């Protein structure tokens, strides 16, 4: 039985609250190269923060580690104070992750895909929740169509719908605007607002920094697997070696 | 919902999802059945027209056809998960890993049972074997063999699903592991078809059942590690 690593202050403690996300020198090697080379940061609960940086910066790798899809080679990553390596099953109950790949089943319909997800997420009200979710993401008219015939944007919408079936405290989105038209992008913006109003913490890796920055509390810029700078509210570097901080608006032009 | 009931509901959802994908998939189950029937036909050609020799070889050939068809089936049931990286999504659901294994194995069992059930009359006609005389003993052997094959196949398909050469590695790893199952299934089938004159049927069936239990336990324990990256 792996030992649980939960850094927790007692209720009403005067101590600093547990961050939604805390990483300490997290590194991930693929072969001989480091996709992530020692990132230490923390994100406060209930914040919407964005990760920016060029391709290969390590944004996706960091999100995948937090989602328990990848194990860090070195370092530690905690979600709500729970170690993602020691107790991934507890982390999975708290995290919803939109990855690059949508992870849908081509030969099932949109409804069947969401019903399957609802069962896996322990939703007893799938019969009501699934049609409502399909309507939320604009796919009510395509509910009984097989996903094989969906466009990339429709698949993205359906994957977003799957996130809505979960009740996460941490939402991780990897390029959520990819393949979406203007309506789809507006849908993402509405969902971001909904999650934030619901008290969830949201981390978004996006090349559409200008779009996200209007909504985001704070941001972090990664480059070459390193955390280069952070800005705004709710996100901060925790490594002594880090770097500058900048106002939240500074990254909008990147 | 209690833990065990929730796990069963999850396993059933996975099996249902796989069965739907299999039935609707472009590589339909029909091609697997056709392949297995072709194996039986080619073995028949290789053994020649001697009907007595064919009838004697029928139990072994039936199980070889089931094994070859089954290899394709279990591989395809995991192929569904590699399309669009669904396996990664499946692994991220907050559910007991044993429930995922059970669901995949149940899907494999359903597919194997259908394959075996459809091959039986093919064997009966092609090799002049009186299947009705074997009765429930043959069906019991088929069921236990299908359970064992699905238990092992699901585990090894999980081992190889992320490999580049998975089409080669799956039979390479799996065939040695199912050797005891193949031996027991062929012996039990032979005894059932012959009316069990030497009382050999039940010992082989017990061996099959023991193999199934061990492999289901091993699969349930090991499959979760395979889902992790």
């Amino acid at each position: 039985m792996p030992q649980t690593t939960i850094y927790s202050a007692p209720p009403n403690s005067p101590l600093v609250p547990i961050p939604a996300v805390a990483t300490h020198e997290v590194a991930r090697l693929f072969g001989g190269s480091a996709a992530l080379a020692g990132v230490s940061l923390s994100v406060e609960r209930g914040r919407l923060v964005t990760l920016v940086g060029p391709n290969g910066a390590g944004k996706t790798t960091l999100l995948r580690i937090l989602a328990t899809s990848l194990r860090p080679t070195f370092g530690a990553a905690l979600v709500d104070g729970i170690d993602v390596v020691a107790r991934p099953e507890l982390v999975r109950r708290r995290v919803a992750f939109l990855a690059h790949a949508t992870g849908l089943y081509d030969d099932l319909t949109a409804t069947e895909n969401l019903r399957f997800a609802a069962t896996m997420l322990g939703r007893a009200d799938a019969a009501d929740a699934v049609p409502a979710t399909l309507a939320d993401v604009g796919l009510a008219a395509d509910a009984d169509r097989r996903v094989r015939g969906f466009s990339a944007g429709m698949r993205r919408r359906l994957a977003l719908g799957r996130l809505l079936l979960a009740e996460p405290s941490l939402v991780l989105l990897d390029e959520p605007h990819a393949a979406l038209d203007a309506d789809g992008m507006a849908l993402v913006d509405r969902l971001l607002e909904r999650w934030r109003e619901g008290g969830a913490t949201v981390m978004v890796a996006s090349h559409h920094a200008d779009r996200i920055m209007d909504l985001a509390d704070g941001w972090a810029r990664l480059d070459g697997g390193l955390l280069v700078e952070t800005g705004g509210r709710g996100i901060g570097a925790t490594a002594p070696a880090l770097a500058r901080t900048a106002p939240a608006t500074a990254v909008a032009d990147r | 919902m209690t833990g065990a009931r929730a796990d069963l509901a999850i396993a059933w959802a996975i099996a249902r999802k796989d069965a739907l994908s299999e039935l609707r998939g472009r590589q339909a189950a029909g091609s697997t059945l056709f392949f297995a029937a072709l194996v039986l036909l080619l073995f028949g050609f290789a053994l020649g027209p001697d009907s007595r020799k064919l009838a004697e070889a029928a139990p072994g050939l039936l199980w070889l056809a089931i094994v070859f068809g089954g290899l394709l089936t279990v591989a395809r049931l995991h192929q569904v998960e590699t399309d669009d990286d669904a396996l990664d999504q499946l692994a991220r659901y907050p559910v007991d890993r044993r429930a995922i294994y059970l669901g995949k194995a149940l899907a494999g069992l359903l597919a194997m049972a259908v394959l075996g059930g459809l091959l039986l009359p093919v064997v009966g006609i092609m090799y002049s074997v009186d299947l009705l005389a074997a009765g429930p003993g043959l069906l019991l052997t088929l069921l236990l063999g299908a359970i064992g094959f699905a238990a092992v196949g699901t585990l090894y398909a999980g081992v190889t699903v992320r490999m580049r050469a998975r089409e080669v590695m799956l039979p390479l790893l799996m065939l040695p592991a199912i050797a005891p199952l193949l031996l027991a299934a062929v012996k039990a089938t032979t005894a059932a078809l012959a009316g069990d004159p030497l009382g050999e049927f039940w010992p082989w069936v017990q061996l099959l059942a023991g193999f199934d239990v061990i492999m289901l336990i091993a699969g349930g324990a090991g499959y979760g590690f395979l889902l992790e990256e």
Side-chain angles (χ1 to χ4, degrees):
Chain A
M1 190 72 174
Q3 188 171 355
T4 308
T5 307
I6 300 178
Y7 300 104
S8 172
N12 304 318
S13 165
L15 298 175
V16 177
I18 309 166
V21 170
T23 69
H24 180 72
E25 293 294 327
V26 163
R28 172 68 201 206
L29 305 180
F30 290 104
S33 62
L36 214 55
V39 168
S40 299
L41 61 79
S42 70
V43 179
E44 293 173 11
R45 288 166 183 269
R47 297 292 190 179
L48 194 164
V49 299
T50 182
L51 304 175
V52 296
N55 291 332
K59 307 185 297 292
T60 295
T61 303
L62 179 58
L63 292 184
R64 285 174 61 79
I65 286 172
L66 294 172
T68 74
S69 287
L70 275 181
R71 285 168 176 253
T73 311
F74 304 108
L78 309 174
V79 171
D80 288 345
I82 304 169
D83 191 308
V84 298
V85 174
R87 296 305 299 270
E89 74 281 8
L90 295 181
V91 173
R92 287 178 188 128
R93 293 185 190 284
R94 290 165 165 77
V95 174
F97 178 40
L98 179 74
H100 274 299
T102 54
L104 298 166
Y105 296 103
D106 284 351
D107 292 311
L108 302 189
T109 65
T111 296
E112 288 165 345
N113 265 286
L114 289 196
R115 271 183 172 268
F116 175 71
T119 303
M120 299 298 281
L121 291 165
R123 292 283 298 249
D125 60 342
D128 296 327
V130 167
T133 302
L134 285 168
D136 278 349
V137 297
L139 291 174
D142 301 289
D144 296 323
R145 280 183 59 200
R146 289 188 202 174
V147 168
R148 186 176 295 284
F150 277 20
S151 68
M154 292 167 78
R155 297 176 73 94
R156 203 74 176 155
R157 283 170 180 261
L158 190 56
L160 283 165
R162 187 176 56 213
L163 294 193
L164 292 176
L165 291 172
E167 292 172 353
S169 62
L170 174 64
V171 181
L172 305 170
L173 305 172
D174 195 0
E175 299 294 345
H177 299 97
L180 290 174
D181 56 15
D183 282 351
M185 289 194 182
L187 167 68
V188 171
D189 294 346
R190 287 198 302 276
L191 295 180
L192 289 173
E193 288 283 11
R194 188 199 289 196
W195 279 313
R196 183 155 66 174
E197 285 169 8
T201 308
V202 185
M203 288 181 77
V204 187
S206 178
H207 286 114
H208 294 78
D210 49 344
R211 190 169 190 106
I212 296 285
M213 287 309 297
D214 290 340
L215 300 168
D217 296 307
W219 55 270
R221 186 161 70 87
L222 280 75
D223 199 353
L226 293 167
L227 180 59
V228 179
E229 54 185 336
T230 64
R233 294 171 299 154
I235 187 166
T238 54
L242 183 78
R244 297 169 291 143
T245 58
T249 51
V251 78
D253 300 327
R254 291 177 199 280
Chain B
M1 205 182 298
T2 62
R5 282 185 63 192
D7 287 349
L8 285 176
I10 286 161
W12 178 246
I14 291 170
R16 184 178 177 279
K17 177 262 297 176
D18 281 354
L20 280 175
S21 295
E22 181 75 1
L23 287 171
R24 295 174 182 170
R26 285 180 296 185
Q27 300 167 317
S31 58
T32 303
L33 176 67
F34 183 73
F35 170 73
L38 206 58
V39 168
L40 285 173
L41 184 68
L42 291 176
F43 276 128
F45 285 150
L47 289 172
D50 185 339
S51 60
R52 200 171 65 87
K53 196 191 286 182
L54 285 175
E56 282 175 3
L61 299 185
L62 168 68
W63 280 100
L64 279 179
I66 289 175
V67 164
F68 289 148
L71 279 170
L72 297 181
T73 301
V74 294
R76 204 169 47 241
L77 289 175
H78 273 73
Q79 180 68 40
V80 169
E81 305 294 350
T82 58
D83 295 342
D84 204 17
D85 212 5
L87 189 64
D88 190 46
Q89 175 62 41
L90 186 67
R92 278 200 306 272
Y93 284 119
V95 299
D96 192 319
R97 286 16 211 155
R98 288 170 296 188
I100 297 178
Y101 171 75
L102 188 62
K104 299 299 285 186
L106 189 57
L109 170 62
L110 291 173
M112 294 297 298
V114 170
L115 178 67
L118 291 173
L119 284 179
L120 274 181
V122 177
V123 169
I125 295 165
M126 212 177 272
Y127 297 149
S128 306
V129 176
D130 184 7
L131 298 171
L132 294 176
L138 185 57
L139 294 180
L140 178 64
T141 306
L142 199 63
L143 178 64
L144 291 175
I147 291 172
F149 193 94
V152 178
T154 302
L155 182 61
Y156 279 93
V159 170
T160 57
V161 67
R162 288 191 170 103
M163 293 181 179
R164 284 184 186 170
R166 55 180 170 262
E167 294 86 358
V168 177
M169 292 307 294
L170 178 61
L172 210 60
L173 293 172
M174 192 177 157
L175 288 176
I178 59 162
L181 176 143
L182 190 61
L183 175 69
V186 170
K187 292 290 188 183
T189 304
T190 304
L193 287 172
D196 198 19
L198 302 175
E200 289 181 327
F201 177 73
W202 286 109
W204 288 115
V205 163
Q206 285 168 0
L207 179 61
L208 262 183
F211 181 89
D212 292 358
V213 170
I214 290 168
M215 283 303 166
L216 282 170
I217 292 170
Y223 194 75
F225 295 104
L226 305 174
L227 286 178
E228 304 298 335
E229 167 260 343

